[in-house]
């Protein structure tokens, strides 16, 4: 019974790198041996890899891998899909567990490649070790042992690390132990430093004393300025502020008097110098200046007046001349009769009336024209007719209201109740009698009559309507009708005397009357207008006559007609203007003459005045007078100042008396310069003396505090004004003592400061030692090193334990594990070599035993080595799977290539035996001779697949367009067939949107009736549009331009359609795309398959484990790739656009547009169909 | 009277594990915790059962904080009673002398037990009175770093009938120890009500029994579980406690069992985080003031997923408790369902599978393997005295190594490692 196995039945290579867009299927795979052959690059290796990818979960797949397979596992069908790294296995649509994991080494055992195996068998020892590892369960025991013991060597380093860490701890601890006295040292130092403040204060005082003494010395040094007065110190001391002030005052007064005298003398000289060039009399008077100024002002005024009147006179003359030039026709008007105001008023009045009459006449003429001629008034009934009709209507209403008003309305009297009661009783009695007699109507009539009689007798009769006698009313109506007929014309007679007709007729009569009245009024207006116009015409004529008479009277020239009024007005106005201008000229001349005379008089006076001061009148007397006036003014001022200066000088000279300064100096018995020098010296000396005194006071204070205030110093203080030498000597002594004491203090302070620094340093050391954590860190490092070392010890123990375990296993495995595999390998090896060799495994080395000699691999031929290797591999595979395990497919790659027929037969036979157990074994080769070996030696059970043929079939199925046929068949004749029928005969397809236009059939460029041309083109080998376009463009035949244009438009049409239509989406597109969020596309592709490849359905359908966010990513990808179109442009719109764009190239009546239209309307199909 | 007990503070030793998130551990963190707890808990008496400082660091880094802490306690009015552990025999007498000199008024409340005539290694007594309660303290101090004799051999007779609290530092029931070995029986024979013990870092508080205080905070990553101080109460001559005053930090071992359903790294991550959260909840139940937990994570069960290489992303905060993983995640998983599948195999894998199963079930392995366990134990003993590891004393010994069980553990690790290597190196054709 065959063992359960894993068998491929079909492999779908949908997408894989290197085979993009060339998917193919290998179907009908059978159990047993399958030989797959084909030339290089046909895809054998790819197919083998695809099958391995469908077999092993962990195998890493190339980018964009999308595979499918139908397999049988243990006889049960299973669907397998692999998309990239995700392998999904399904049984009856339900996912089942795939292979959990598998190492690459194990997978390789199922793939036996000639080149690979031979490469690995180059050297015996590594090869043996490799196989030894395989034989021991794939575990490299030696490697594991090496790994486990690798850590042993590192322990030395870690021990060193630990020892060094411990050493550092010890060193640091020793160092700290050596500083255990640190705290007591610090306490001692703190006590010493506690006196620091006290010493610092003493040092400060000494330093201050030193500085004070220094200052004193410096001040004494500055007394050198007093050296010239060394013998006259009393004088200096005697000089006081008061003396100094008086000296200064006296000296300043003397200097001021001298300065004033000099100043006045200088000024007098200057004044004389200024007066002399003025050339004026020696004694000037103020009235001379006034007279000059007045004369200058009067002359200037007279000059201006003369100039002004001259200008006025000239202007008047010019105006008169202008008037005369403007009114030449008034020349001589001086002879006309005088135009009195009355005449002028009369003329103006006449003109105004003339104008009014003229305007009125024009208005009346327009009114008469507007009113037109009189109109005839149509006949209307007299107004009384309407009144008659109204009366008739009133009567008629009264008549209609009569029955309601006739109802009895009893009037109750005082005793009528008794009578009524009697009447009622009598009536009731009568009714009762009538009822009993059975003659009710009669009795009732009788009763009513009786009741009426009673009531009538009592005066309770029904109250009649006033004037509402129907008969009378009827008669009145008829009377009114008669009256109306007599009045009204027949045209206004009513057809029937109904109230409506009568009311309408009354309305019509009133309307007619109103219109007739209005027309009559208009006719009266017309008559009045014409009459008024006649009257006004007469008046206008009389005015015209009056004007003519006046003009004649005045002897006026010009028009006296309708414009007479304006003419007369103008004449009068101009004439008055001329008269005025003449008067103005006369007046201006007179004024000018007066002004000229006055000016000339003043000029003469000015000339005389100027001569009196020896001045020439010059060109402009005004300027000369003004200059004289200025000179007089200056001269007067200088003359006055000279007088004042002379008075002041006289007074200064008069006030001179003996100098107070001389008196002052004489009292001191000093010369002025001596006093000045002494005083200035004292000024310089005083601050020094003051500073000395102050400094001395400070020293006194300090020395008192320090008990150093000696009598000598006291004397110095009291006699600080004594000779300088004494003071210096004493100060030097004191200074020396002070320096000694200061040095001692500073030394003490320095020592304490050093202790303080030491204290700070030790405190810092203590702080660092206490808080630094140095030793703690070193201890931690030591601890970690110890832990590491301990971990290393444990690791070593684990390694040694592992080593012990491996030893035990190896000892046991040598007996239990390796034997069966070696035995089986040897058995296979014997079969492969026709029992010439046996297999031996000695010291990790495989040997071949032939008879009594043992050969290592290097001594074997290449083919024998290959047989040995295959034997070991196959034995391992069988051992690995075990008797109960599922047999997995083997993939052999040209392992027979180096075998002669003899060996090939042995291998093939052995493999056939293995295949007979149910294992599927694939053999890939590109060598036809190997295929032939399998075909001849393998027998009928071996399945042989030509992969090239399989792929060609796949291509043919996918692309229905016929390829280029080098043995071109005859082209059918179109005969009488239509274009569509001929295309069908040709086997051509309909327009296809996604097939490149150049690859589509040539018939698409032709229209009905062009079958013969198409036939010729096909006979010429132009089967596709691309061929045809290339040929025609090369020929440049003008007669073919329309065909070229048609193809170009078809190309544009296809491009626009592609842009306007969604691209067809394939599973390969999805599988190879990088879509965000879709690392695993298994569920996506399954859903895509369920949706029939429709992207919209795909987006709407639920996809397992895919949320809205991922669907959004998918939609984005579809839209970006053009697989989704939100709005598709209608074909008609595209067609219209093409016609608009290409009509200049291809006339709209050209047959080519039929081809374009057919293409645009039919090319929306995803796949081409046959026409 | 409220008594707070602490021991094995090892002031001056920096905890050897990484810091807790948001919390830095220093060489005086444990001592700070003890002092703060005593003041916060308003204890009347603080008893320190030895090893207050780390012997290697007894000069300044331990001395400064120790003196400052004791000063603070005395100034707060507490009485402090201490015995010297094997680390303290030098520093405690010095501390006592300094306190007497610098603060004589308060120094009387610092009781250095176990010193007589200026020498340590004796039993001494003291009576502490607080209100109406009086307590007798009796304690013994290490005279040197090592002391191989049983200190209880010279235990004195105690006068009167006051409630008594004994303080002792040393190894309990480890006869040949060089750290003052004593026995439970000897302790019982003293008739003392309560014994507070020091020397063992793992707390072992049990009601009415001698108890080790343990370290107030974990000082090494192996010191898992709750740490802290212990409070005893004496009222009307009756004891209650000890009650743990827990530290805000602790270290936990977290075993994360994986199953074949955990197929991705995210599953493993989720399982670890879930385990951490659950453990934090448990830890919080006994310690509301818990601040941080460090986890030593070990993956167990069956999984083909490798352990996470980095653990930085596992830091989390849950209800104010910060948690992180200490060290690497240990992977003790084995391939899914592989063990059972190979139990019947007659080859090496079958042998290993059967051996692992026996070890897991605590069975005695077959005779063929039993000598292997003995050989492993011998290897462990020999390795201690091997040249490279000779400098390591018992302080550094991995506390998880506890023969003879440990030889089984070691053998199992080797078996799993080898078995996994075999399985991962082969195809499981049955699942193909």
């Amino acid at each position: 019974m065959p063992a359960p196995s894993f068998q491929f039945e079909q492999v779908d290579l949908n997408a894989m790198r290197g085979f993009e867009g060339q998917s193919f299927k290998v179907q009908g795979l059978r159990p047993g041996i399958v030989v797959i052959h084909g030339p290089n690059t046909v895809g054998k290796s790819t197919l083998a890899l695809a099958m391995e990818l469908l077999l092993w979960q962990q195998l890493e797949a190339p980018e964009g891998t999308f595979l499918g397979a139908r397999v049988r596992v243990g006889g049960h069908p299973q669907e397998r899909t692999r998309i990239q790294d995700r392998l999904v296995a399904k049984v009856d649509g339900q996912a089942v567990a795939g292979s959990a994991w598998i190492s690459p080494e194990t997978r390789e055992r199922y793939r036996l490649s000639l080149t690979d195996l031979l490469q690995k068998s180059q050297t015996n020892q590594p090869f043996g070790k490799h196989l030894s590892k395989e034989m021991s369960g794939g575990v490299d025991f030696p490697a594991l042992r090496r790994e486990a013991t690798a850590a042993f060597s590192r322990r030395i380093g870690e021990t060193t690390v630990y020892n060094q860490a411990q050493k550092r701890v010890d060193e640091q601890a020793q160092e700290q132990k050596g500083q255990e006295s640190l705290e007591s040292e610090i306490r001692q130092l703190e006590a010493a430093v506690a006196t620091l403040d006290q010493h610092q204060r003493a040092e400060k005082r000494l330093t201050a004393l030193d500085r004070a003494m220094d200052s004193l010395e410096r001040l004494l040094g500055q007394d050198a300025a007093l050296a010239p007065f060394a013998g006259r110190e009393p004088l200096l001391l005697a000089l006081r502020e008061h003396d100094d002030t008086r000296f200064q005052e006296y000296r300043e007064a003397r200097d001021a008097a001298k300065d004033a005298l000099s100043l006045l003398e200088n000024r007098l000289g200057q004044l004389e110098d200024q007066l002399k060039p003025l050339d004026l009399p020696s004694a000037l008077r103020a009235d001379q200046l006034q007279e000059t100024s007045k004369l200058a002002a009067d002359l200037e005024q007279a000059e201006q007046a003369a100039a002004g009147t001259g200008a006025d006179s000239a202007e008047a003359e010019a105006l008169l001349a202008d008037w005369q030039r403007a009114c030449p026709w008034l020349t001589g008007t001086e002879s006309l009769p005088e135009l009195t105001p009355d005449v002028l008023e009369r003329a103006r009045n006449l003109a105004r009336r003339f104008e009014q009459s003229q305007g009125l006449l024009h208005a009346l003429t327009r009114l008469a024209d507007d009113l037109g001629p009189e109109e005839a008034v149509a006949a209307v009934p007299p107004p009384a007719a309407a009144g008659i009709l109204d009366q008739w209507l009133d009567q008629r209403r009264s008549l209609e209201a009569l029955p309601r008003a006739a109802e009895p309305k009893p009037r109750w009297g005082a005793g009528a109740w008794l009578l009524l009661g009697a009447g009622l009783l009598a009536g009731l009695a009568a009714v009762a009698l009538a009822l009993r007699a059975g003659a009710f109507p009669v009795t009732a009539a009788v009763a009513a009559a009786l009741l009426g009689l009673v009531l009538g007798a009592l005066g309770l009769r029904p109250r009649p309507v006033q004037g509402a006698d129907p008969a009378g009313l009827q008669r009145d109506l008829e009377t009114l009708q008669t009256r109306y007929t007599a009045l009204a014309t027949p045209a206004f007679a009513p057809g029937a005397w109904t109230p409506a007709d009568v009311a309408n007729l009354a309305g019509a009569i009133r309307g007619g009357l109103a219109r007739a009245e209005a027309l009559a009024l208009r006719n009266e207006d017309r008559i009045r207008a014409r009459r008024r116009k006649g009257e006004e015409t007469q008046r206008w004529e009389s005015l015209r006559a009056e004007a003519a008479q006046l003009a004649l009277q005045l002897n006026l020239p010009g028009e006296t007609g309708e414009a007479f009024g304006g003419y007369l007005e103008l004449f009068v106005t101009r004439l008055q203007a001329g008269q005025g201008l003449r008067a103005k000229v006369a007046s201006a001349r007179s004024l000018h003459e007066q002004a000229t005379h006055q000016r000339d008089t003043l000029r003469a006076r000015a000339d005389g005045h100027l001569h009196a001061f020896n001045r020439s009148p010059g060109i402009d007397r005004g300027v000369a007078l003004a200059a004289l006036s200025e000179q007089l003014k200056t001269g007067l001022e200088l003359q006055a100042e000279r007088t004042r200066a002379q008075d002041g000088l006289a007074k200064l000279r008069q006030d001179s008396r003996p100098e107070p300064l001389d008196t002052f100096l004489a009292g001191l018995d000093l010369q002025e310069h001596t006093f000045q020098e002494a005083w200035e010296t004292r000024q310089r000396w005083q601050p020094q003396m003051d500073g000395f005194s102050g400094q001395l006071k400070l020293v006194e204070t300090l020395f008192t505090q320090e008990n150093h205030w000696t009598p000598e110093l006291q004397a110095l203080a009291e006699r600080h004004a004594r000779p300088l030498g004494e003071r210096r000597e004493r100060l030097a002594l004191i200074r020396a003592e002070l320096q000694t004491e200061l040095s001692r203090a500073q030394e003490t302070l320095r020592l304490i400061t050093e202790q303080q620094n030491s204290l700070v340093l030790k405190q810092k050391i203590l702080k660092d030692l206490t808080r630094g954590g140095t030793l703690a860190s070193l201890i931690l490092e030591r601890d970690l090193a110890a832990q590491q070392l301990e971990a290393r010890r444990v690791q070593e123990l684990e390694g040694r334990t592992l080593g012990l375990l491996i030893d035990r296993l190896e000892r046991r495995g040598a007996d239990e594990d390796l034997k069966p595999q070696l035995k089986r390998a040897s058995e296979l090896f014997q079969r492969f070599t026709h029992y010439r060799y046996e297999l031996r495994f000695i010291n990790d080395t495989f040997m071949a035993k032939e008879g009594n000699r043992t050969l290592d691999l290097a001594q074997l031929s290449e083919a024998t080595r290959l047989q040995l290797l295959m034997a070991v591999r196959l034995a391992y595979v069988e051992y690995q799977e075990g008797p109960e395990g599922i047999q997995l497919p083997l993939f052999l790659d040209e392992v027979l290539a180096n075998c002669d027929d003899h060996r090939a037969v042995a291998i093939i036979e052995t493999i056939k035996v293995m295949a007979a157990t149910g294992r599927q074994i694939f053999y890939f080769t590109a060598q036809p001779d190997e295929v032939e070996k399998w075909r001849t030696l393998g027998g009928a059970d071996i399945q042989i697949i030509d992969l090239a043929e399989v792929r060609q079939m796949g291509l043919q199925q996918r692309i229905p367009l016929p390829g280029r046929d080098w043995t071109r068949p005859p082209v059918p004749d179109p005969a009488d067939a239509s274009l569509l029928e001929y295309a069908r005969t040709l086997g051509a397809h309909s327009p296809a949107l996604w097939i490149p236009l150049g690859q589509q059939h040539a018939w698409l460029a032709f229209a009905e009736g062009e079958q013969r041309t198409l036939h010729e083109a096909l006979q010429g080998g132009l089967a596709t549009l691309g061929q045809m376009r290339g040929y025609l463009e090369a020929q440049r035949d003008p007669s073919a331009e329309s065909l070229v244009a048609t193809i170009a438009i078809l190309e544009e049409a296809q491009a626009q359609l592609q842009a306007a239509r969604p691209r067809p989406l394939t599973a390969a597109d999805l599988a190879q795309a990088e879509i965000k969020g879709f690392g695993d596309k298994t569920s996506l592709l399954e859903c895509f398959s369920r949706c029939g490849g429709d992207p919209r359905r795909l987006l709407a359908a639920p996809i397992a484990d895919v949320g809205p966010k991922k669907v959004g990513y998918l939609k984005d990808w579809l839209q970006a790739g053009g697989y989704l179109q939100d709005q598709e442009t209608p074909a008609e719109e595209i067609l219209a656009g093409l016609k608009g764009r290409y009509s200049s190239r291809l006339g709209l009546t050209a047959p080519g547009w039929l081809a374009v239209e057919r293409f645009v309307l039919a090319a929306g199909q995803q796949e081409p169909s046959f026409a | 009277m409220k008594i707070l007990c602490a021991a094995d503070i090892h002031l001056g030793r920096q905890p050897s594990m990484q810091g807790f998130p948001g919390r830095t551990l220093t060489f005086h963190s444990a001592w700070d915790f003890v002092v703060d707890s005593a003041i916060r808990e308003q204890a009347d008496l603080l008893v320190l059962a030895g090893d207050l400082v780390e012997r290697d660091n007894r000069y300044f880094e331990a001395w400064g904080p120790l003196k400052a802490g004791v000063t603070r306690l005395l100034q707060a009015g507490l009485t402090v009673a201490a015995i010297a552990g094997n680390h303290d025999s030098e520093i405690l007498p010095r501390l006592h002398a300094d306190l007497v000199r610098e603060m004589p008024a308060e120094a009387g409340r610092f009781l250095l037990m176990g010193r007589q005539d200026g020498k340590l290694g004796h039993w001494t007594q003291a009576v502490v009175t607080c209100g109406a309660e009086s307590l007798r303290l009796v304690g013994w101090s290490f005279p040197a770093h090592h002391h191989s004799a049983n200190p209880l051999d010279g235990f004195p007779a105690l006068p009167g009938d006051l409630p008594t609290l004994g303080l002792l530092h040393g190894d309990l029931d480890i006869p040949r120890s060089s750290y003052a070995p004593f026995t439970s029986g000897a302790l019982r024979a003293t008739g003392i009500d309560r014994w507070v013990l020091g020397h063992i870092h793992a707390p072992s508080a049990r009601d009415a029994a001698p108890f080790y205080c343990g370290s107030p905070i974990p000082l090494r990553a192996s010191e898992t579980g709750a740490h802290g101080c212990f409070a005893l109460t004496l009222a009307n001559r009756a004891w209650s406690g000890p009650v743990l005053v827990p530290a805000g930090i602790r270290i936990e071992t977290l075993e994360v069992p994986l199953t074949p359903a955990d197929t991705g790294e995210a599953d493993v991550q989720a399982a670890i985080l879930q385990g951490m959260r659950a453990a934090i909840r448990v830890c919080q139940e006994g310690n509301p003031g818990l601040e941080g937990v460090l986890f030593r994570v070990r993956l167990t069960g069956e999984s083909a997923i490798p352990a996470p290489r980095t653990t930085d992303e596992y830091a989390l905060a849950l209800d104010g408790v910060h948690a992180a993983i200490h060290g690497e995640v240990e992977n003790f998983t084995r391939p899914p369902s592989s063990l059972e599948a190979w139990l019947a195999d007659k080859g090496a894998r079958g042998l290993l599978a059967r051996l692992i199963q026996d070890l897991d079930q605590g069975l005695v392995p077959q005779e063929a393997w039993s000598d292997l366990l003995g050989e492993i134990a011998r290897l462990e003993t020999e390795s201690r005295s091997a040249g490279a590891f000779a400098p390591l004393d018992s302080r550094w010994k991995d506390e998880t190594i506890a023969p003879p069980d440990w030889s089984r553990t070691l053998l199992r690790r080797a078996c799993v490692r080898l078995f996994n290597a075999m399985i991962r190196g082969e195809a499981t054709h049955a699942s193909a």
Side-chain angles (χ1 to χ4, degrees), chain B residues 366-401:
Chain B
Q366 293 176 356
E367 190 177 347
W369 302 105
S370 58
D371 64 323
L372 189 56
L373 289 174
E375 197 166 352
I376 293 169
R378 182 182 56 78
L379 278 176
E380 200 277 329
T381 306
E382 288 176 357
S383 72
R384 295 190 191 190
S385 56
F389 308 117
L392 291 175
D393 59 30
S394 60
R395 282 184 296 170
W396 314 118
K397 182 184 171 188
D398 190 329
E399 293 173 0
T400 60
I401 301 175

Side-chain angles (χ1 to χ4, degrees), chain A residues 1073-1107:
Chain A
E1074 290 185 4
I1075 307 172
K1076 188 175 180 182
F1078 285 90
D1080 176 14
K1081 297 178 190 160
T1082 308
S1083 55
L1084 175 66
L1085 288 167
E1086 289 173 355
C1087 183
F1088 178 73
S1089 177
R1090 287 199 307 272
C1091 295
D1094 186 346
R1096 293 189 183 280
R1097 286 180 59 195
L1098 178 65
L1099 287 176
I1103 309 174
D1105 301 329
V1106 174

